[in-house]
Amino acid sequence: MTDKFDKTPPGSPAGQVSVSKAATTAPENIKAIPVRHVGRWISGIVVIGLLAALVYAFSQGNIQWQAVGDKLFDSNVVAGAGRTLLISVLAMVLGVILGVVLAVMRLSKNPVTSWVAWLYIWFFRGTPVYVQLLLWFNLALIFPVLNIPFIYKDEMTDVMTPFMCALLGLALNEAAYMAEICRAGIQSVDEGQTEASHALGMTQGKTMRRVVLPQALRVIIPPTGNEFINMLKTSSLVYAVTYNELLRSTSQIGSTSYAVMEMLFVASIWYIVMTSVFSVGQYYLERRYARGSLRSLPLTPLQRIKVNLASFSNRPSGGVSA
Amino acid sequence: MTTPMVKAEGVHKSFGAAHILKGIDLEVAPREVFCLIGPSGSGKSTFLRCINHLEQINAGRLSVDGQLVGYRQKGDKLYELKDSEVALQRRDIGMVFQRFNLFPHMTALENVMEAPIQVKGEAKAVARARAEKLLDRVGLADKAKNYPTQLSGGQQQRVAIARALAMEPKLMLFDEPTSALDPELVGDVLDVMRGLAEDGMTMIVVTHEMGFAREVGDALVFMDDGVVVESGHPRDVLTNPQHDRTKSFLSKVL
């Protein structure tokens, strides 16, 4: 979007006049001896020393660094990372959809739906996700058979595969948190927006879809990105329901090859890489939804590099003319 | 005798214990520019918001173009209208707010196009053509692609007027449209409103711009503490007020 506001021409006529006048009688710059920050130097040296000690300790420990490198791209490890990604993405998508529904229910004027949403959030936020996963895993103890009349009937143990346990456990827990995030986002949109939309003849549903939610997204997206990064890591808990995700597949290799610590490092590297990649994606998503809320969008890192390069190549010519 | 565009009979409105409107009676004729003045808290904005059912009245009757606002009468019983029916009534009533309330995630053009497409199901090309014409009319054809934050207050308010006009309303409500503007931007907005009045639009204007009321207004009402204190032709009321309350108010604002 080009706009006229952030492009004040650097050499506007008025500016040039005053600059050239000032240039003829430019005062000499102050030359002073800078303050010496002794404290900064000392604290810097201490911190670097401690870091070096830590690195040294790791290098001397009984860790086969060779094994970390060897197993990093082991097919079981890569498959485990893939399953971690799959379960996290699916659980997040389901959690967001259910979260939006719960948020709208929570804000509805119907006291029953509002209360049910409150109850859901109260339960799923109030109990550990680990406990919830185990509850799904053992669901067959309460409902031995899943029976949806005329549509579906099966043994619960056949339905509740490790994958289903993991997905339901993570998604339903996430929905409770997403509901609160969405509620905050919806409530952050100015009431005047709803009024303006109603005054134009838009129904409540249209107002929500076309006016309120798009603006709420700007508030919802940053914490949702946070939630997703959390989800990538929380998904390691589905170890408990025997779903073969990253942590489980690395640990299995670790326990058979006696390289426990090494395989935990391998898992950590994968987790860090995945969360880092998604942090970058989040930056661009937030930028997309900042449209209209800022006069001009901040530059992306790529654009910033381009601008820097351009200014670098322009500088000599500018210097010559000055 | 034509049907009045707006007719209020004994309209009352309370927010909890606060009694804001205490029996408003008035009529607005078609093609009339009707000005509402009065001190803040007198209930003039609340009354305006009742006309398109942004507020629900507690007693009395309020109708637009012969139709009750927000209710349907069958025999001597009143039935509340459904959300979709209220929306249908609001289609024909444009509203301009003190704080503009443009949709910040849409460009000026998209703001003006939104309601005809979403509410009337109009084709995009048709809505775009009209939106461009309306933006041109309010003098902002070159700002079509700007987002509201990239526009000055006066420009935003003119886009808001274009947005309301896009629904081709039979009645326009203005809620202190220039009160949030820098003094030098007020003129542009008033010029647009003056043009609308010349084209015969029925307008109800809550305003502190006495000059505009005197020059453009066909009728004027002075409200205080939830009642109509004085009404008449703007020239008469503004130059020769009859009530002490009107005199003391005008002596402070003129």
Side-chain angles (χ1 to χ4, degrees), chain A residues 46-61 63 65:
Chain A
V46 168
V47 169
I48 287 178
L50 286 173
L51 266 179
L54 191 68
V55 170
Y56 180 75
F58 266 86
S59 67
Q60 294 303 300
I63 291 165
W65 291 104

Side-chain angles (χ1 to χ4, degrees), chain A residues 28-29 52 70 82 93 100 111 116 127 129 136 150 165 202 207 212 214 216 218 231 249 251 265 283 290 293 321:
Chain A
E28 211 175 312
N29 283 349
D70 287 348
V93 169
V100 172
V116 167
T127 54
V129 65
W136 290 109
F150 310 118
C165 288
M202 284 163 75
T207 300
V212 177
R218 199 169 59 80
M231 174 69 87
S249 53
S251 302
F265 283 144
Y283 175 84
S293 63
S321 72

Side-chain angles (χ1 to χ4, degrees), chain A residues 51-223:
Chain A
L51 266 179
L54 191 68
V55 170
Y56 180 75
F58 266 86
S59 67
Q60 294 303 300
N62 185 16
I63 291 165
Q64 307 158 19
W65 291 104
Q66 186 67 37
V68 175
D70 287 348
K71 296 290 182 192
L72 193 56
F73 294 105
D74 184 287
S75 63
N76 283 331
V77 172
V78 175
R83 276 192 285 269
T84 284
L85 203 57
L86 177 75
I87 200 77
S88 302
V89 169
L90 287 181
M92 197 67 201
V93 169
L94 218 66
V96 168
I97 294 170
L98 199 55
V100 172
V101 172
L102 281 168
V104 172
M105 280 172 72
R106 184 96 172 77
L107 293 171
S108 87
K109 285 176 191 147
N110 183 335
V112 178
T113 55
S114 168
W115 182 76
V116 167
W118 179 87
L119 197 71
Y120 181 99
I121 294 164
W122 173 74
F123 177 79
F124 282 93
R125 281 206 311 182
T127 54
V129 65
Y130 192 68
V131 174
Q132 290 167 26
L133 283 164
L134 293 176
L135 281 175
W136 290 109
F137 194 56
N138 295 307
L139 198 63
L141 296 178
I142 312 171
F143 305 106
V145 174
L146 177 66
N147 186 1
I148 306 169
F150 310 118
I151 300 174
Y152 191 84
K153 187 172 177 180
D154 207 344
E155 296 284 317
M156 190 57 92
T157 45
D158 291 340
V159 181
M160 278 297 156
T161 59
F163 175 78
M164 280 304 284
C165 288
L167 181 61
L168 281 177
L170 292 177
L172 296 192
N173 181 258
E174 186 56 38
Y177 288 92
M178 281 311 301
E180 289 297 274
I181 290 172
C182 293
R183 183 172 65 91
I186 290 170
Q187 285 179 328
S188 76
V189 178
D190 183 52
E191 213 183 338
Q193 293 289 310
T194 315
E195 287 184 353
S197 173
H198 284 166
L200 285 166
M202 284 163 75
T203 56
Q204 282 178 16
K206 281 236 165 76
T207 300
M208 183 54 88
R209 273 203 311 281
R210 298 286 309 173
V211 176
V212 177
L213 280 182
Q215 293 182 60
L217 274 181
R218 199 169 59 80
V219 178
I220 292 172
I221 283 175

Side-chain angles (χ1 to χ4, degrees), chain A residues 1-5 190-206 209-212 214-215 291-296, chain B residues 49 52 54 83-84 87-88 90-91 93-95 97 101-106 114-115 118-119 142-143 145-147 149-151 163-164 167:
Chain A
M1 187 71 9
T2 62
D3 57 74
K4 278 125 198 164
F5 291 82
D190 183 52
E191 213 183 338
Q193 293 289 310
T194 315
E195 287 184 353
S197 173
H198 284 166
L200 285 166
M202 284 163 75
T203 56
Q204 282 178 16
K206 281 236 165 76
R209 273 203 311 281
R210 298 286 309 173
V211 176
V212 177
Q215 293 182 60
R291 267 182 330 171
S293 63
L294 304 167
R295 290 202 171 173
S296 59
Chain B
R49 291 160 60 80
N52 67 353
L54 285 181
D83 173 42
S84 57
L88 204 65
R90 286 180 180 140
R91 275 184 183 201
I93 307 171
M95 185 156 189
F97 298 86
N101 294 346
L102 287 180
F103 304 135
H105 57 303
M106 302 179 192
E114 179 70 6
Q118 293 299 324
V119 178
D142 57 328
K143 301 284 184 200
K145 291 220 166 75
N146 286 56
Y147 285 95
T149 42
Q150 299 165 333
L151 301 173
R163 178 176 70 173
M167 290 298 285

Side-chain angles (χ1 to χ4, degrees), chain B residues 51-127:
Chain B
I51 296 175
N52 67 353
H53 208 57
L54 285 181
E55 307 291 353
Q56 196 164 12
I57 62 174
N58 301 123
R61 287 284 186 278
L62 181 59
S63 58
V64 172
D65 208 11
Q67 256 195 326
L68 279 185
V69 175
Y71 300 95
R72 183 181 24 236
Q73 188 156 18
K74 258 190 192 163
D76 55 355
K77 273 199 183 133
L78 279 186
Y79 296 87
E80 266 187 28
L81 293 184
K82 283 189 293 191
D83 173 42
S84 57
E85 292 170 313
V86 174
L88 204 65
Q89 284 191 331
R90 286 180 180 140
R91 275 184 183 201
D92 298 332
I93 307 171
M95 185 156 189
V96 175
F97 298 86
Q98 183 179 354
R99 306 210 50 83
F100 328 135
N101 294 346
L102 287 180
F103 304 135
H105 57 303
M106 302 179 192
T107 62
L109 189 73
E110 286 165 352
N111 262 283
V112 183
M113 287 166 63
E114 179 70 6
I117 293 174
Q118 293 299 324
V119 178
K120 289 185 176 168
E122 217 169 64
K124 233 179 171 175
V126 180

Side-chain angles (χ1 to χ4, degrees), chain A residues 214-233:
Chain A
Q215 293 182 60
L217 274 181
R218 199 169 59 80
V219 178
I220 292 172
I221 283 175
T224 304
N226 213 20
E227 286 292 307
F228 183 71
I229 283 168
N230 249 330
M231 174 69 87
L232 274 170
K233 296 175 299 170

Side-chain angles (χ1 to χ4, degrees), chain A residues 238-274:
Chain A
V238 305
Y239 192 119
V241 296
T242 70
Y243 183 64
N244 215 358
E245 43 68 66
L246 179 57
L247 182 62
R248 194 179 172 82
S249 53
T250 48
S251 302
Q252 275 170 348
I253 298 173
S255 56
T256 51
S257 64
Y258 304 105
V260 177
M261 208 46 177
E262 288 77 359
M263 291 317 290
L264 288 178
F265 283 144
V266 168
S268 302
I269 290 170
W270 274 101
Y271 280 120
I272 278 203
V273 167
M274 285 193 282

